[in-house]
Amino acid sequence: MDHDAVRAELEGRRDNARARVATLAKRPERGASQGFGKRIGDGTVEAISRFNDIGVGTTVEAGLERTERALAKLDEGTYGLCDSCGKPIAEKRLRAMPDVVLCIECAAKR
Ligand SMILES: [Zn+2]
């Protein structure tokens, strides 16, 4: 694995996730749907949209945590090793999800 390329990829993901979290944290009260794709004028639809955004925020934060953990593992020299059992994570799995910190067996147990 090319760790420099992985680091660049993870840092890009982290920065995107941080920007998303910051945007969600300081949402204006009204007309806040710009930047999330479609412009929504109707109040009811907007309420649903805001509700959905809470879910998005949680997912983004969880992703950010995982990405930061993967970057910490690069620094520790344990990148590619499972956080739970310490065994190497399959390279195919790492390529598909560069921020993965658990092997497939341990991930399945959670
Ligand atoms: Zn494991």
Side-chain angles (χ1 to χ4, degrees), residues 81-89 101-107 109:
L81 300 177
C82 175
D83 249 1
S84 181
C85 69
K87 287 182 197 156
I89 300 168
V101 297
L102 292 173
C103 73
I104 199 152
E105 285 88 1
C106 293
K109 281 184 218 155

Side-chain angles (χ1 to χ4, degrees), residues 43-77:
T44 310
V45 178
E46 194 169 355
I48 296 164
S49 161
R50 288 175 66 87
F51 178 76
N52 287 340
D53 284 346
I54 298 166
V56 170
T58 312
T59 311
V60 172
E61 278 179 8
L64 177 58
E65 261 178 44
R66 204 174 56 223
T67 304
E68 286 183 333
R69 177 63 197 138
L71 278 165
K73 286 172 75 62
L74 274 172
D75 290 336
E76 288 168 5

